[in-house]
Amino acid sequence: MTGTFFWQGRRVPFGEGQTLAAALLAAGLRDLGGPDGRPARIFCGIGACQACAVTVEGLGVVEACLTPAVDGMRLGPAMTGDDHV
Amino acid sequence: MHSRSSPHVVVVGAGIVGAAAAFFLEAAGARVTLVEAEAPAAGATGASDGAVSVASKRPGPMMALALEARAFYRELAARGVLEGLFHPRSTFLLARGDEEASLLERHGADLAAAGERVVARSAVDLRRLLPGLGASVTAGIEVPDDGHAIGYEITARFLARSRPALRRATPVRALKLRGDRVAGVVTAQGEIAADRVIVAAGIGSAVLIGLGDVLVPRKGQMAVTDRAQPSGPAIGGHLMAATYLAAKRGISLDKPHIGLVIDPLVTGQFLIGGSREENRSDRRTDAATIAAILREALDFYPPLAGRRVIRTFAGIRTACRDGLPIVGPHPAVDGLVVATGFEGDGICLGPLMGACAARLALGEAPATDVSVLSPRRFAVREVAQ
Amino acid sequence: MSDAPVLVVGAGPAGLGAALALAQAGVPVVLTEQRDAIGGAIHRQPASPQVPKVLRPARHARSFAMLAAGLAAAGGRIDLRTSTVFLGLDGADNALIDDRRRQRVEALSPAGIILATGAVEKVHPFPGWELPGVMTAGGAQVLLKETGRAPDGPVLVAGSGPLLLAVAAQLAAAGNPPVAVLERGRPWRRPTALAAMLASPANVAEGVGYAARLLRHGVPYVTGAAVTAVRTQGDDLDVMVRHGAAERTYRVRHLLVHDGLRAGASTGITETRDGPVPVLLAGDGREILGADAAVADGRRAAAEMLALLGRGAASAGDEQTLGAARRFQAALARLCEAPPPSPPPETLVCRCEGLRVADLDHLRPDASMRELRLVGRFGMGPCQGRFCGASVAALRPDADPSLKASAVPRWPVRPVSLASLAGFGDPAARTNPRIHQDTEDR
Ligand SMILES: Cc1cc2nc3c(=O)[nH]c(=O)nc-3n(C[C@H](O)[C@H](O)[C@H](O)COP(=O)(O)OP(=O)(O)OC[C@H]3O[C@@H](n4cnc5c(N)ncnc54)[C@H](O)[C@@H]3O)c2cc1C
Ligand SMILES: Cc1cc2nc3c(=O)[nH]c(=O)nc-3n(C[C@H](O)[C@H](O)[C@H](O)COP(=O)(O)OP(=O)(O)OC[C@H]3O[C@@H](n4cnc5c(N)ncnc54)[C@H](O)[C@@H]3O)c2cc1C
Ligand code: FES
């Protein structure tokens, strides 16, 4: 599937079969941290470091590097909860 | 510092009680060796919640002791010893349905009679104070003067502020007696002579003190979530199901029982518990029990659905058959003091009970009357020696 | 003899090798993979057929083609569950899996488990390693394989080990040659190690190919150079580097770091042969032997599992391959051996919990590993110490490791949705996990 998802309301296009991580990086969105300043970013790419955790509406907190992008998905920093995505 | 005549006290067990005892012994001028089978807080202290709660106590001696123990936390925090480690916060006891509401009403009256501040809360109040609260909660009471403390943090602080000789990985196998008097402890790595001994070894105390099978392990499983927010408790208090009180009030525990508590930690995480599994002393957790706990938790507080569980753990509560801790001089052995059997209350009671045990070991009367907890209430069997 | 399946976790070369060998022996297999496609770290597949292929040796493509064909031929004997994360073994000996598609945690009762969950990259901490723009080299590489796109802007590759070379060459081939590759070690000064590697011509040829590619693109390969700190500079990073007595700063968009691979950190679970459910490790998760040996190690684990379950005899056919790989990896390790600069107090050690070197210094000097973890909170966050665990061990070499965090096996080995876990065993939401045919796998 190709399409668009939303990072804190901002449109992020993605290519077929891409993970959230790949699409976020391609869009230049490197800093996935919340308002707290705790660093969050794609780091290990294999689900191990948990630094890429994001909140996806309907899914909860997931690793961006493991989660396939789906058209219309709404996401934001891990700690802010569903209402801030 | 220590005079040559200051007694050497061996404390067996570096949980919250043993660490507190070591601290207060040193403060009183004793020389202390703290002998620990594994590492500090390796037992229940490092695998528990940390409600410093009067709200959850049975009326009677436990409620009275908890009131003193909680005041002692405030005092130690103010004195600097436990500065920054005691976190005041309300306990909310929550009912689902009329039967539970009337249990809470009774319990609220008991608390008030003991001198505790209690505020009755309607469902509407509760939803305002605790946004997100589940629809099944119908009523509750708020106990505003409770608090929270993390067992291993308290233990580490006592050890940092007193620096007793600490022997890790040194299980005590038996006590060394000379006539009717304790003369030290026997460990896998040899004997350690002592003038006095305090056994504060949690469930490990049972085999050492020869009081028969008065102590039972009661396993508790818990789950820890990721952070709901960067720091600070994510909800305005500690949530406790009315059915938790039922567990505390000694309802039949033949099958695993779940008494739900949801604890918002200062890290922004939640600690969710717990089961009471009679006679289980393994420390493994199982998905069926954890899932049952989490379903209860979601019923009380649905926003938890957005969290992730990052860890599960089990701790072993040391329960005494008659429901009271055991604190006091051993009935048959001079110089031996016992402090164990704190079941699900040892974080709350630990500092105070450690202080009492220290005084008793030095032959002094403790500031709190703990005679009701004396091991003299049991017949002596065989002391391990 | 029961016909319970063997659970194989991880569909990289080791897991695929194990699953195929088991299936060949007539044993049913459940193969779980956290990603939505098979391949593992080395064979991470392009997200779509349109994605340009990343530079890699032909033998890797062949090896993967064989594994994929084997999987297709195994048909129903291998029940492949993608987007399914293994969570560990619980106290009731359930193998717990988290089906991310259906948002359900389920239990399998396998006859045995082979964990082929791969390696985790080592990263020695330095001030700023936690900043956006700093990634592991392997992490950048798997994303490159997935998208065919190199990260934009100037890239610096730094750390230690042969993967630096591979990633740099792949970046160059994808159109963005890194500004430099900084190798902390001094491989040219280890002639015996270099010589020992000649025993593995395929690997040497691969390395030479990458080096040639870098040469062609004019990418400097600097040895004896180490990153000491990173700072953000607008959208860029200023990377401070020490090279002998000299210091210099690189201004880049991305810093890719990597200090080798670590076995065992992926799940933290150790092998058990005598429990009710035997657990074996295979591939880089057991021992770093490289991609070629991973398939053989998967077969070896499968043979041992068959023997343990009384369903076949262990074969030693792969021992030679594994021995050669072991010698090669040992030589590689010697080749690039170089201690990292010791991190200053402000260096973040545990990202999840926000803990620094200074926080470690505040803990009792005699603290055991257990206390460092429990009291210090190092490794208590969502990553469960996969990265900081080793840093703490290096910074506190005297801490008693026998007093580890816990004597009991822990689960979940990965964070799991609370809602999914709450649904476990709920009669209201029960499906039969064993007979789940309609996989939506690609
Ligand atoms: C799941 C759970 C939740 C809980 N929640 C709360 C709560 O919210 N509030 C509260 O107040 N309490 C709570 N508790 C209870 C509390 O944790 C305990 O009562 C308290 O930690 C007991 O402390 P202790 O020092 O007596 O025992 P422990 O912490 O068990 O310490 C005993 C120590 O002795 C050592 N030891 C044992 N045998 C030997 C030996 N032979 N030689 C040398 N050393 C030995 C052990 O290794 C251990 O370190 C909870 C308990 C559990 C399990
Ligand atoms: C990021 C990275 C990049 C690498 N790049 C190269 C390279 O370019 N060249 C080279 O020679 N070697 C490379 N290596 C080493 C290489 O991975 C191995 O030699 C080879 O791939 C090992 O195969 P494996 O099957 O043991 O592990 P992997 O290939 O890592 O496979 C492990 C599989 O398990 C899955 N998994 C992990 N945990 C779970 C879980 N809890 N539940 C379900 N599934 C899980 C993973 O998604 C993965 O698919 C790299 C390693 C890493 C970590
Ligand atoms: S980048 Fe490490 S878990 Fe996703």
Side-chain angles (χ1 to χ4, degrees):
Chain A
M1 190 189 336
T2 331
T4 310
F5 63 80
F6 299 88
W7 168 258
Q8 296 191 288
R10 179 175 154 181
R11 304 172 70 87
V12 180
F14 65 91
E16 186 183 336
Q18 279 186 1
T19 54
L20 295 174
L24 285 165
L25 274 184
L29 287 163
R30 300 192 300 184
D31 191 346
L32 310 181
D36 56 312
R38 195 176 291 270
R41 47 43 172 137
I42 290 134
F43 185 63
C44 75
I46 57 167
C49 76
Q50 298 295 317
C52 69
V54 293
T55 296
V56 177
E57 204 173 65
L59 283 185
V61 179
V62 293
E63 303 88 346
C65 71
L66 293 182
T67 308
V70 172
D71 196 35
M73 253 182 182
R74 307 180 64 81
L75 48 142
M79 248 176 264
T80 44
D82 265 6
D83 25 326
H84 297 267
V85 301
Chain B
M1 280 291 283
H2 315 293
S3 71
R4 192 177 286 266
S5 64
S6 61
H8 177 222
V9 185
V10 163
V11 178
V12 184
I16 190 168
V17 177
F23 173 86
F24 289 105
L25 283 166
E26 277 214 349
R31 284 182 302 129
V32 184
T33 303
L34 186 51
V35 186
E36 164 55 49
E38 294 177 47
T45 300
S48 58
D49 193 0
V52 179
S53 170
V54 172
S56 62
K57 299 298 177 284
R58 268 193 321 285
M62 288 303 279
M63 203 178 268
L65 284 171
L67 273 161
E68 285 198 53
R70 195 184 60 192
F72 196 49
Y73 261 102
R74 287 202 157 83
E75 181 190 326
L76 292 176
R79 265 165 53 188
V81 181
L82 296 184
E83 192 185 349
L85 299 186
F86 175 72
H87 309 287
R89 50 115 162 99
S90 289
T91 299
F92 288 92
L93 292 162
L94 302 175
R96 293 177 294 186
D98 294 345
E99 201 184 328
E100 291 179 11
S102 67
L103 170 65
L104 287 191
E105 218 169 290
R106 233 179 19 249
H107 191 69
D110 289 338
L111 285 166
E116 180 70 358
R117 265 206 307 154
V118 179
V119 190
R121 294 293 188 189
S122 69
V124 176
D125 287 347
L126 289 171
R127 282 191 181 78
R128 178 175 48 80
L129 294 165
L130 304 166
L133 199 65
S136 58
V137 176
T138 54
I141 57 179
E142 179 179 2
V143 181
D145 296 325
D146 271 351
H148 192 256
I150 307 253
Y152 51 78
E153 287 184 0
I154 302 297
T155 304
R157 179 66 66 81
F158 279 133
L159 295 182
R161 292 290 168 91
S162 56
R163 307 232 163 214
L166 172 59
R167 301 276 297 268
R168 294 180 180 80
T170 309
V172 170
R173 294 197 170 146
L175 301 172
K176 189 172 150 59
L177 302 187
R178 194 171 296 129
D180 284 345
R181 232 196 123 67
V182 73
V185 295
V186 184
T187 77
Q189 289 92 301
E191 293 183 7
I192 304 172
D195 303 310
R196 319 277 160 81
V197 172
I198 296 177
V199 173
I203 195 66
S205 310
V207 295
L208 297 175
I209 56 175
L211 295 176
D213 57 356
V214 297
L215 294 177
V216 239
R218 189 172 289 160
K219 173 167 141 176
Q221 302 190 35
M222 303 200 75
V224 186
T225 73
D226 58 2
R227 286 177 163 80
Q229 58 186 41
S231 69
I235 47 175
H238 176 216
L239 311 188
M240 190 179 280
T243 47
Y244 178 91
L245 290 175
K248 284 261 174 159
R249 283 174 176 243
I251 279 171
S252 159
L253 293 169
D254 299 340
K255 53 178 193 283
H257 182 95
I258 288 161
L260 182 80
V261 295
I262 301 176
D263 219 324
L265 302 177
V266 290
T267 54
Q269 297 168 280
F270 291 97
L271 187 54
I272 303 171
S275 62
R276 285 187 140 71
E277 300 166 58
E278 198 74 349
N279 261 315
R280 290 278 305 268
S281 57
D282 66 280
R283 294 191 48 180
R284 299 185 72 182
T285 58
D286 62 275
T289 304
I290 293 289
I293 293 169
L294 297 178
R295 283 198 290 276
E296 277 282 276
L298 285 172
D299 191 49
F300 277 95
Y301 189 61
L304 286 173
R307 300 266 55 79
R308 297 193 296 172
V309 170
I310 65 166
R311 190 160 58 244
T312 64
F313 65 82
I316 307 305
R317 305 179 188 90
T318 305
C320 184
R321 293 245 180 247
D322 66 2
L324 285 178
I326 306 177
V327 181
H330 192 273
V333 181
D334 284 345
L336 175 61
V337 170
V338 180
T340 185
F342 299 101
E343 213 270 340
D345 303 311
I347 304 305
C348 175
L349 301 179
L352 182 65
M353 294 300 118
C356 290
R359 292 286 284 268
L360 288 165
L362 297 175
E364 296 161 18
T368 301
D369 180 8
V370 290
S371 52
V372 48
L373 308 181
S374 167
R376 298 212 157 93
R377 65 190 195 270
F378 304 108
V380 180
R381 305 278 178 85
E382 186 90 353
V383 177
Q385 56 170 307
Chain C
M1 195 161 94
S2 101
D3 59 357
V6 169
L7 172 62
V8 177
V9 182
L16 288 168
L20 293 178
L22 290 166
Q24 243 152 42
V27 174
V29 175
V30 176
L31 175 59
T32 62
E33 166 56 48
Q34 63 181 355
R35 307 200 65 83
D36 63 353
I38 64 167
I42 185 88
H43 304 307
R44 170 78 69 102
Q45 293 306 292
S48 79
Q50 286 82 50
V51 167
K53 291 269 188 302
V54 162
L55 175 72
R56 61 171 178 169
R59 73 178 200 287
H60 285 175
R62 277 199 303 275
S63 170
F64 180 67
M66 271 171 61
L67 292 170
L71 186 63
R77 267 171 304 164
I78 299 179
D79 174 5
L80 171 66
R81 315 261 188 103
T82 54
S83 293
T84 299
V85 182
F86 174 69
L87 298 179
L89 261 181
D90 81 349
D93 293 317
N94 288 312
L96 300 172
I97 55 173
D98 176 11
D99 180 336
R100 293 280 181 97
R101 259 192 218 105
R102 301 149 119 216
Q103 300 187 48
R104 292 185 49 81
V105 172
E106 294 163 2
L108 302 173
S109 309
I113 302 177
I114 295 179
L115 294 177
T117 51
V120 172
E121 289 175 270
K122 291 185 209 168
V123 176
H124 298 307
F126 48 81
W129 70 279
E130 72 278 12
L131 293 171
V134 183
M135 279 183 78
T136 69
Q141 182 197 41
V142 291
L143 281 168
L144 172 65
K145 290 176 182 171
E146 185 183 319
T147 61
R149 256 183 74 169
D152 60 308
V155 180
L156 183 66
V157 181
S160 186
L163 192 76
L164 300 181
L165 213 59
V167 173
Q170 287 160 337
L171 289 172
N176 187 9
V179 294
V181 178
L182 310 181
E183 164 62 56
R184 194 169 59 246
R186 296 177 186 278
W188 314 132
R189 298 191 189 169
R190 312 267 168 147
T192 53
L194 274 172
M197 292 171 53
L198 293 175
S200 178
N203 281 303
V204 172
E206 183 180 343
V208 169
Y210 293 143
R213 169 73 65 163
L214 293 181
L215 213 58
R216 198 158 355 123
H217 288 273
V219 178
Y221 181 72
V222 187
T223 63
V227 173
T228 54
V230 180
R231 278 196 290 268
T232 35
Q233 196 52 249
D235 271 355
D236 292 331
L237 298 169
D238 273 352
V239 184
M240 270 64 79
V241 171
R242 187 159 58 222
H243 187 200
E247 309 259 355
R248 79 164 275 197
T249 302
Y250 292 84
R251 178 157 301 177
V252 293
R253 285 262 335 166
H254 300 269
L255 170 63
L256 309 185
V257 291
H258 170 95
D259 294 298
L261 295 168
R262 179 173 19 256
S266 175
T267 66
I269 297 174
T270 51
E271 298 195 310
T272 46
R273 288 175 174 78
D274 46 8
V277 186
V279 178
L280 299 178
L281 304 183
D284 269 7
R286 186 185 68 78
E287 181 182 4
I288 305 299
L289 294 177
D292 298 322
V295 185
D297 199 46
R299 277 198 301 265
R300 179 208 53 78
E304 189 183 350
M305 183 59 74
L306 290 170
L308 283 172
L309 301 177
R311 298 190 196 175
S315 84
D318 288 306
E319 285 308 322
Q320 221 173 353
T321 317
L322 297 177
R326 194 167 290 134
R327 285 189 295 278
F328 180 76
Q329 291 294 331
L332 259 187
R334 264 184 294 139
L335 190 68
C336 297
E337 207 167 50
S342 62
E346 71 274 18
T347 313
L348 198 68
V349 173
C350 170
R351 182 208 67 94
C352 299
E353 296 295 297
L355 297 166
R356 296 174 191 278
V357 171
D359 295 309
L360 195 57
D361 295 340
H362 288 145
L363 296 168
R364 285 178 74 110
D366 62 348
S368 61
M369 279 313 264
R370 183 175 210 283
E371 290 151 88
L372 296 179
R373 192 175 138 94
L374 196 61
V375 181
R377 309 309 286 167
F378 286 89
M380 292 295 262
C383 97
Q384 298 164 338
R386 270 184 209 100
F387 284 85
C388 64
S391 310
V392 170
L395 291 163
R396 287 287 191 111
D398 297 331
D400 186 346
S402 69
L403 294 175
K404 280 207 282 289
S406 162
V408 293
R410 283 281 175 84
W411 69 273
V413 299
R414 290 288 183 78
V416 54
S417 150
L418 189 151
S420 302
L421 183 53
F424 174 81
D426 187 355
R430 197 161 192 84
T431 57
N432 188 341
R434 284 262 182 85
I435 326 169
H436 162 222
Q437 298 295 334
D438 64 324
T439 45
E440 305 143 54
D441 312 321
R442 284 187 288 123

